[in-house]
Amino acid sequence: MYLEYFGFQRLPFTIAPDPEFLFPSQGHQEALAHLSYAHTGHGGLICLTGEVGAGKTTLCRAFMQQLPEHTHLAYIFNPQLSPLELLQSLCDELAVEYTEDATLKSLYAVLNEALLRCYAKRHRVICVIDEAQCMPASLLEQVRLLTNLETDKEKLLTLILVGQPELRDILQRYDLRQLNQRITARYHLNLLSLAECRSYLDHRVQCARRTLEPESVSLFDAAAVKVIWQASRGVPRLINSLADRSLLGAYASSKALVTRSIANQAVREVLGDPQKSASVTQSSPFRFKTVIGTLLLLLSLVGLAAGVYSQRDTINKMITGLNPTNDPIKMLAQSQGVNAETCIAMPDLGYECLWADWSLLELRSLQQPTAVRSLNRGWVLLDASVTDYTGEAVILWRRLDGYSGLVRPGQRAGVVSWVRQRLGVTWNQDWQSIGPGGKAVIMDDDYYDPIMAEAVGKFQQGEELKPDRIIGPRTLLHMQRGAQ
């Protein structure tokens, strides 16, 4: 790609939460200082919030990397757990042994004993819970109970809740006031200013270079930085996507610097430009979507093209020669006789576009209309002839009746009755069911009860899916395959 062209040792603008790329803005430094309060015995409960893509996970990774010696860490990244599963996960992370039939009470006891042993050795124990805004009230109450694990002088366990801005609103609820009062430190991570955006871009470029060259760090002119900042609204994750696409455009057009026009084109390709017609976009001098799609093809051709074309010339020739109608959505719609050209219109027609990076074996087993990106042919309909799959696919899924979004235990949805029938899960009319909030609920076929949640988890495990018990498109696709 453009690594050699710009002198990079690695890609500077990936969206992976790499702590080595952590940008030391004033906000990030203050956030780290608040997290460091967990090193003391006073920080029983700490709350870190920030907008989606603001860098919370990267910040947590950096914090976890610099923990002092004799610190035990538990990292809970899936908040969709029951109170029992939360304690089990915490024990698993801290290597605390417990029996399979352990109750909440017994788990609480063994965890307390383990924490007391750590305290006797002057070891600190920290638990980071990511995506905490998704936690139900019953789970947040369990978090409050965990803060009771203490001696007369210090907390035995420090908990760090990390979540999106709505977590602040959730904690203000009257029924969660006890938990909210126990937060000893809280910080909200703000988005980057224009000046910070420029420094952020230069910082990541410098981190990715092979050698330190301060005098030639900046690869974005002032106008390009402003375009990227305005389009991303200062969200680091979006800045990364726009900057990466901008550098690719500069490389493809033989530029040493990202200019306003290159940045504007990157914004249109990454975020879309509803004010301009498709024809205007297609007439641009370099098309980033085309570049992305052809880079893998380039890798296979570079060896043959050596001595004839440079890599950049090869890319530019492919850019001008590809067929712009190679669109997976149109391709799938036509194959099913659906009159739609974009994913926006699909839900009204009973379909949904599912973008996936699943294996070729799994895609074939689902037996659904699927388009895959081929190394040599671009987007093609999936059939037995496809062998050069690049890992990018689109499934045209005819949604099941009653499905309108992810369904979690304790919720009601029309699709639940279909799943219940598919898994053969029944319930006794005389049973009383207690929901996640601890209140009795009226059972019906559309209620996602705990017994069915257990069955869904086992089904997911059997299909080698993540056993999160959430009913979503991937789980339903596997169930549909089994029902055919």
Side-chain angles (χ1 to χ4, degrees), residues 204-355:
R204 293 192 69 107
V205 165
Q206 187 64 64
C207 288
R209 285 193 183 278
R210 289 191 175 92
T211 57
L212 298 177
E213 301 177 47
E215 69 280 359
S216 60
V217 165
S218 185
L219 295 177
F220 303 82
D221 67 22
V225 172
K226 189 171 184 179
V227 168
I228 292 173
W229 176 72
Q230 288 177 332
S232 67
R233 305 184 311 281
V235 177
R237 185 183 297 162
L238 288 177
I239 292 174
N240 284 358
S241 297
L242 294 172
D244 177 68
R245 198 65 62 90
S246 296
L247 288 176
L248 194 55
Y251 169 60
S253 53
S254 305
K255 302 291 185 182
L257 193 69
V258 174
T259 61
R260 181 198 297 270
S261 61
I262 293 176
N264 277 327
Q265 181 63 22
V267 170
R268 285 191 288 271
E269 293 294 339
V270 173
L271 302 179
D273 187 2
Q275 297 179 349
K276 293 195 175 184
S277 66
S279 61
V280 173
T281 305
Q282 290 175 1
S283 64
S284 58
F286 48 86
R287 288 177 47 79
F288 290 86
K289 285 182 180 178
T290 303
V291 174
I292 290 291
T294 56
L295 282 176
L296 290 171
L297 173 59
L298 169 64
L299 295 177
S300 64
L301 295 178
V302 164
L304 297 175
V308 181
Y309 302 114
S310 69
Q311 292 184 22
R312 184 172 53 250
D313 290 339
T314 306
I315 286 182
N316 286 330
K317 286 182 180 295
M318 289 188 285
I319 287 172
T320 57
L322 282 183
N323 184 356
T325 62
N326 189 223
D327 187 310
I329 308 305
K330 293 180 182 178
M331 187 182 299
L332 285 168
Q334 291 173 3
S335 72
Q336 300 302 305
V338 179
N339 186 22
E341 294 187 350
T342 68
C343 288
I344 298 175
M346 292 298 185
D348 293 335
L349 299 172
Y351 287 90
E352 187 170 330
C353 299
L354 303 177
W355 294 81

Side-chain angles (χ1 to χ4, degrees), residues 45-49 129 132-137 139-141 143-144 147 159-187:
L45 183 58
I46 298 170
C47 183
L48 171 66
T49 55
I129 302 178
Q133 78 282 348
C134 297
M135 299 174 73
L139 199 58
L140 287 170
E141 173 61 14
V143 169
R144 183 187 71 81
T147 63
L159 292 118
I160 300 176
L161 297 179
V162 182
Q164 295 169 18
E166 49 265 39
L167 177 61
R168 295 183 297 178
D169 299 329
I170 293 172
L171 292 172
Q172 293 298 322
R173 285 172 39 176
Y174 181 77
D175 59 330
L176 293 175
R177 64 191 184 282
Q178 291 190 68
L179 176 65
N180 194 35
Q181 290 172 5
R182 297 189 181 208
I183 297 177
T184 54
R186 63 185 84 205
Y187 188 81

Side-chain angles (χ1 to χ4, degrees), residues 402-445:
Y403 180 82
S404 59
L406 298 179
V407 186
R408 296 178 171 84
Q411 296 180 336
R412 281 186 171 84
V415 74
V416 172
S417 59
W418 182 90
V419 176
R420 186 184 300 282
Q421 183 179 19
R422 170 70 185 88
L423 297 181
V425 178
T426 59
W427 52 273
N428 192 306
Q429 296 280 358
D430 297 327
W431 290 353
Q432 183 183 41
S433 181
I434 305 300
K439 297 181 180 180
V441 295
I442 299 174
M443 286 289 291
D444 57 56
D445 281 341

Side-chain angles (χ1 to χ4, degrees), residues 463-480:
E463 296 289 312
E464 297 184 352
L465 303 175
K466 181 180 179 181
D468 56 13
R469 305 182 182 184
I470 298 174
I471 300 175
R474 194 172 189 177
T475 297
L476 291 173
L477 280 168
H478 279 255
M479 289 183 179
Q480 284 178 282

